[in-house]
Amino acid sequence: MSLLFEYATDQFSPADASLYTASETDLSTGDEAIPVRPIATFASHHADLSHPDRDWTCIPLHSVDTATPTDEFVAYTDHEVRGELFLVYQNGSIEPIAADQFRDTHLATRMRYWHSDYLPDTYPPGYNAPIEDREAPRNPVTDTALLSEFQTYIADERAATRAQNEARARTNTARMLYDRGDAAIPRLQCQAEEAGEYQFRVDLDPALEDRRNDDWAYFVENEFGIYQENEVLIHADADDAPHSFPVAAEVTRIRGLTIWLTVAWETVENTGAVRAYLHGEHTVGCSKRLNPVPFDRERAAVKMLREDPFREVLVGERLLTFSHEAAALSEPHDDELNQEQQLAVEYALLAHDLFCIHGPPGTGKTRTLVEIVRRAVDAGERVLVCTDSNQALDNLVAGNSTSDTPDAGSLHAYGQHGTDEFRLARVNAGRSMQSLVEQRYENSPAEADVVAATNSSAATLPDNFDLLVLDEATQATCTASCIPLARVDRAVLAGDHQQLPPFSATETPPESAYGLSLFEHLYASGGVYEAVGLQLKTQYRMHPDIAYLSNREFYDDSLRTGRVVTTLTERPALEGYNIGGSVSVADTSRVNNTEARLVVQLIQSLLTDTDVPPEKIGVITPYAAHARLLRDLLDKHTEHATALTVDTIDSFQGSEKTAIIISLVRSNADGDLGFLGRPTDGPRRLNVALTRAKRYCAVVGDFHTLRYDSDGKCTELYQRFTEHFESTGRLNDVDPAFLSF
């Protein structure tokens, strides 16, 4: 019902109120019929509105022309013979009135503001709802061809992705691509050819033989990132190979370590030489050219949405209302949620179509979403939970759960392997990198109350769901989000548009809505329904000194710290290390050897001088090549290298560590900041990096390069960034000559 009804219910107690005494005028015919039945039904789900002594639902009345609640009520009961009745006092006795008659009375108008179709001119004192009962689109899409634009974007992304992978394959071997973390198999040995289909055996390095543990299920897919139906490029290993290589092919089957490839001969110039090479004793490699499956699924989902009612929401043709009964049909579970989190849960359950939750780092977004799922299931709803990546999905499903200790902020704690509140399925659980998920969960969505899937894998689900909970929604393109959206009645989107944006292979991503995330398209500043959501404002992760910069630069100082987080012994929570060094290019990526040496030294100091275990320490950098260099150096110069987490900023979103070292890499006189200087996503990457640490964060880089951004893209941001370290006395100048190695 109306958000006002929720407010009135909080102010009302049946024990302290009285049954209304009606006059003849009250029960005479009014000017319009009031929808009393849905109001009564909604009220009947509220345990707080049950009469303490009678089988009544007490429906509060508001004043005649205002929404201010009174201390009077009409009673509702569903009589087994006479049907739905409304009860009032009249002439000293209780008068029953049939629902169809009551809806036409003057008295019924004193319930009208409890329905979302009616809005008062003035609201009760103290009532302050962040959104309206009925939210009109603020920025509707005038171009009715939005879904056609979605299809164009999918085609452009497909072509750009294929072109990028082809360009990399022309300048890199399969081994080189695999070593840098791209999808590739370094060595394949041809076994046979039949009807144009080549059978290859994956030739494993000894280290991979040791890692497999005799389990070949999804090994090729998980280790090399190559899947059935992928387009691939076959690389020739020999120096005298035909110049036609790499040649295009399709993965037709994968069984254990055997992979079957069908060559796209129409794309090969010298077919005879290539055939002879493949039939010879040579080994080959392969790298991914294109995975067409996600694009095909996005295209199909967009087509489905053309005939789906949610299309009206996407373009802003619908008034959004908040009166869904899931809020009343369920009781709160998590009594430790703060007021903002509780409010987000209530609005999400009340929303008929859409609600958005803006969750900055450490504000308990995941915990809030888990509560929404639990209560929706209590209300009899079937819930689809999605994210754009397996890593983010595992975080929501299992979090930090172990086989013995479930993470209370995860769905696992309340599924069949926890308190058994609901049945939980994880699509493609066997491919999860979280061992608990892989071992405990089966892909059995038909039997589940809650189904967890990536956006893409949601395409394999035949069923429709009542509610979609889309986490990390700001990291998924509109078109990827369309896949789960086409399978649900209503949606809750959660994310942070101040963190990483969706990845786009297109050289110049479109400026229109479809180049954004669905979260930004619908909710963020300038979005279709701009105000249909709320921000969580209490962060529990970071020491205030770590949170300060992000809070000021990205969240308008709206965040507050909800608990005491201590610093490490004799160390400030945030400090900078100013060092230059020569930057070299490594395969389109970059490394800074001097900076890497300093990072290793800082890691050694943390391991020696603090009680932070190595598994609680992370190193973040914008560049994959620099991350690889850091891992190599740490392996040589520390005892716990394997326990440390070293990764790119993009891979670190959603993670947290007690201590974080950020290595920025760039050092030049031109003020060229690389990734971090791009106005579209550079500041958002910086925000992600700064908000991963709990108790200690060190920023290592050339602060002169940061200060003098020559292109002027993010000049003011990085000037303020540098000035903060200087003004607080936490910028340490480091002479490379004094590094220990």
Side-chain angles (χ1 to χ4, degrees), residues 274-336:
V274 171
R275 289 182 188 273
Y277 188 91
L278 293 176
H279 284 283
E281 299 297 322
H282 307 286
T283 61
V284 298
C286 77
S287 64
K288 183 162 66 179
R289 184 185 187 217
L290 181 74
N291 181 5
V293 175
F295 300 105
D296 292 342
R297 290 172 172 177
E298 289 177 22
R299 186 173 59 190
V302 172
K303 185 178 180 181
M304 291 170 63
L305 283 170
R306 291 184 183 276
E307 306 300 325
D308 192 280
F310 214 95
R311 185 201 68 82
E312 298 175 0
V313 176
L314 290 174
V315 299
E317 293 180 355
R318 187 185 303 178
L319 197 70
L320 299 187
T321 58
F322 293 81
S323 59
H324 197 273
E325 293 183 357
L329 286 169
S330 61
E331 294 291 332
H333 290 279
D334 192 341
D335 57 6
E336 295 184 2

Side-chain angles (χ1 to χ4, degrees), residues 572-646:
L574 178 69
E575 59 181 343
Y577 289 87
N578 181 35
I579 191 169
S582 177
V583 178
S584 55
V585 178
D587 198 25
T588 72
S589 188
R590 284 169 169 75
V591 298
N592 185 325
N593 282 278
T594 304
E595 200 170 292
R597 289 160 55 207
L598 175 57
V599 170
V600 172
Q601 188 166 304
L602 292 173
I603 292 290
Q604 291 171 334
S605 174
L606 283 172
L607 292 171
T608 303
D609 302 336
T610 72
D611 59 354
V612 182
E615 61 271 17
K616 299 294 185 181
I617 299 174
V619 183
I620 309 176
T621 177
Y623 297 99
H626 193 64
R628 292 193 293 272
L629 171 64
L630 286 166
R631 294 190 199 103
D632 290 342
L633 291 178
L634 287 166
D635 190 52
K636 293 176 182 176
H637 298 283
T638 65
E639 295 181 0
H640 305 283
T642 57
L644 300 165
T645 301
V646 183

Side-chain angles (χ1 to χ4, degrees), residues 597 601 734-741:
R597 289 160 55 207
Q601 188 166 304
V734 180
D735 187 341
F738 290 94
L739 296 177
S740 59
F741 69 93

Side-chain angles (χ1 to χ4, degrees), residues 429-590:
R431 299 182 182 180
S432 170
M433 301 307 290
Q434 220 279 8
S435 59
L436 178 76
V437 175
E438 183 184 16
Q439 295 165 7
R440 295 282 187 89
Y441 288 93
E442 299 178 357
N443 184 16
S444 54
E447 304 171 4
D449 307 298
V450 181
V451 177
T454 62
N455 290 333
S456 184
S457 62
T460 65
L461 301 172
D463 298 334
N464 288 325
F465 294 80
D466 300 294
L467 174 66
L468 167 66
V469 174
L470 181 57
D471 194 15
E472 302 296 352
T474 53
Q475 286 194 276
T477 62
C478 282
T479 53
S481 299
C482 283
I483 299 174
L485 198 66
R487 286 158 173 80
V488 302
D489 294 332
R490 57 198 190 91
V492 174
L493 310 183
D496 181 10
H497 50 289
Q498 298 299 335
Q499 297 189 62
L500 290 176
F503 171 78
S504 178
T506 308
E507 185 174 349
T508 306
E511 296 180 357
S512 57
Y514 64 93
L516 305 171
S517 67
L518 195 65
F519 186 96
E520 292 168 278
H521 170 61
L522 291 172
Y523 167 66
S525 179
V528 176
Y529 293 96
E530 194 169 331
V532 184
L534 59 80
Q535 178 188 336
L536 305 179
K537 295 183 178 181
T538 305
Q539 72 88 13
Y540 300 92
R541 174 186 298 166
M542 297 165 279
H543 187 280
D545 289 354
I546 298 174
Y548 176 81
L549 276 169
S550 287
N551 192 17
R552 183 186 71 184
E553 299 294 339
F554 301 102
Y555 303 108
D556 298 323
D557 284 322
S558 64
L559 299 183
R560 51 186 176 268
T561 299
R563 68 181 178 198
V564 176
V565 179
T566 59
T567 61
L568 301 182
T569 306
E570 298 182 356
R571 291 174 186 260
L574 178 69
E575 59 181 343
Y577 289 87
N578 181 35
I579 191 169
S582 177
V583 178
S584 55
V585 178
D587 198 25
T588 72
S589 188
R590 284 169 169 75

Side-chain angles (χ1 to χ4, degrees), residues 112-327:
R112 67 187 185 278
Y113 293 139
W114 304 156
H115 196 282
S116 56
D117 285 348
Y118 297 83
L119 291 177
D121 294 329
T122 59
Y123 290 86
Y127 177 76
N128 185 25
I131 59 176
E132 300 292 342
D133 291 15
R134 298 164 60 82
E135 279 285 346
R138 300 197 180 184
N139 303 289
V141 178
T142 56
D143 187 356
T144 57
L146 179 71
L147 295 184
S148 296
E149 293 179 353
F150 280 12
Q151 295 286 23
T152 300
Y153 178 67
I154 295 167
D156 291 345
E157 282 289 289
R158 181 194 291 262
T161 301
R162 183 186 284 121
Q164 284 184 358
N165 289 334
E166 289 174 344
R168 279 195 287 265
R170 286 193 290 270
T171 57
N172 294 273
T173 66
R175 167 64 66 181
M176 293 164 63
L177 292 169
Y178 170 76
D179 288 343
R180 59 181 265 182
D182 291 341
I185 303 175
R187 285 172 61 89
L188 296 167
Q189 188 74 51
C190 187
Q191 304 292 302
E193 185 245 339
E194 184 177 351
E197 190 179 53
Y198 288 83
Q199 179 183 334
F200 291 89
R201 177 80 175 176
V202 179
D203 190 0
L204 295 182
D205 296 338
L208 291 178
E209 284 279 4
D210 296 338
R211 261 170 56 185
R212 68 178 180 87
N213 296 321
D214 295 322
D215 183 8
W216 293 124
Y218 305 114
F219 182 83
V220 170
E221 294 92 330
N222 289 340
E223 178 62 35
F224 303 109
I226 301 293
Y227 297 85
Q228 187 170 307
E229 299 182 45
N230 279 185
E231 295 178 18
V232 295
L233 292 159
I234 301 175
H235 297 247
D237 288 343
D239 293 335
D240 59 348
H243 293 299
S244 298
F245 285 98
V247 299
E250 181 184 354
V251 181
T252 52
R253 287 182 288 168
I254 301 176
R255 300 291 185 271
L257 290 179
T258 303
I259 182 169
W260 287 262
L261 305 179
T262 299
V263 178
W265 291 112
E266 68 277 7
T267 66
V268 180
E269 293 182 2
N270 192 345
T271 58
V274 171
R275 289 182 188 273
Y277 188 91
L278 293 176
H279 284 283
E281 299 297 322
H282 307 286
T283 61
V284 298
C286 77
S287 64
K288 183 162 66 179
R289 184 185 187 217
L290 181 74
N291 181 5
V293 175
F295 300 105
D296 292 342
R297 290 172 172 177
E298 289 177 22
R299 186 173 59 190
V302 172
K303 185 178 180 181
M304 291 170 63
L305 283 170
R306 291 184 183 276
E307 306 300 325
D308 192 280
F310 214 95
R311 185 201 68 82
E312 298 175 0
V313 176
L314 290 174
V315 299
E317 293 180 355
R318 187 185 303 178
L319 197 70
L320 299 187
T321 58
F322 293 81
S323 59
H324 197 273
E325 293 183 357

